[in-house]
Amino acid sequence: MAEDANPTIIFETNRGAIAAEIFVDKSPITAKNFLKLVENDHFDGLIFHRVIAGFMIQGGGFDKNMQQKHAPETIKNESFNGVRNETGTLAMARTADPDSASAQFFINVVDNEYLNAEGDRAGYAVFGKVTSGMDVVREIEQSETGNEAGHNDVPKEKTVIHSVEIM
C-alpha cells in the first residue's frame, strides 16, 4: 500500500459486508487510532449497539450481551478538518468532552449538519466513508430497537461485527 493512499477496511457482519475508505489524509489522528484498533481485533465480536433510524448506527463499544469492552486511550478531536457528517460517513462517538473519543464510532445515515464543528464549537470527527455495503447499513438502520442493560435504542436483533480487515 502506498504511504499516501487511504486504506479501505471491510466490516464482516452477520448481515453482510460494509467497506469504507479511512481518511488518513484528512483525519490522521482519528484514522491511525481506528486502524490500530482494527489491527488489534478490538471490534471483533462487538455489535452495532445503538441504532436510530434517520440519524446513525453506532458500534465499537459493546458485545452482544451489552457488556462494554474496555477502550484504549482517548484521542484529540479532529472535527475542525472540514470533513462533514454526511450520509455514509464514519465519525467518532464521544461524550460532551470533545477529546473523549476512543473506540466507539457511528455511520451517518443522513446528512447530520448539526454534528459538524462550527466556529469554536467542536463537532464529531469524520474519519471515513462507506464505499460499498450501504444496503447493509440501511438494513441495520431499520432494526427494531428497545431498552437493554440501561441503554436506549438497542437493536432487538443484533448485528455482530465478526471481523474488520484492512485491505
Side-chain angles (χ1 to χ4, degrees), residues 8 10 20 33 37-38 72 75 80 83 92 96 125 132 150 154 165:
T8 295
I10 302 211
N33 176 69
L37 292 166
V38 169
I75 57 171
F80 294 99
V83 187
M92 292 305 293
S132 70
V154 179
E165 301 294 327

Side-chain angles (χ1 to χ4, degrees), residues 12 20 27 34 46 50 63 67 69 82 96 98 105 111 131 152 156 160:
E12 290 293 346
S27 307
F34 187 82
L46 299 183
R50 184 171 174 240
D63 68 16
Q67 296 299 307
K69 184 168 185 177
F105 67 93
D111 292 351
T131 55
N152 300 327
K156 294 183 184 292
V160 179

Side-chain angles (χ1 to χ4, degrees), residues 63-134:
D63 68 16
K64 64 185 177 202
N65 299 315
M66 287 303 290
Q67 296 299 307
Q68 189 163 8
K69 184 168 185 177
H70 173 73
E73 69 277 346
T74 57
I75 57 171
K76 179 167 178 39
N77 183 294
E78 291 184 294
S79 64
F80 294 99
N81 62 4
V83 187
R84 321 252 334 140
N85 280 278
E86 296 172 344
T87 303
T89 56
L90 281 69
M92 292 305 293
R94 61 172 176 81
T95 66
D97 174 359
D99 297 326
S100 63
S102 60
Q104 291 191 40
F105 67 93
F106 59 93
I107 301 174
N108 289 291
V109 297
V110 296
D111 292 351
N112 286 310
E113 286 294 317
Y114 66 96
L115 298 181
N116 297 323
E118 189 172 312
D120 61 356
R121 180 186 56 81
Y124 289 78
V126 172
F127 66 94
K129 183 168 181 65
V130 172
T131 55
S132 70
M134 203 60 195

Side-chain angles (χ1 to χ4, degrees), residues 47-64:
I47 63 168
F48 284 95
H49 65 273
R50 184 171 174 240
V51 172
I52 303 174
F55 178 39
M56 59 86 226
I57 65 172
Q58 183 174 333
F62 292 86
D63 68 16
K64 64 185 177 202

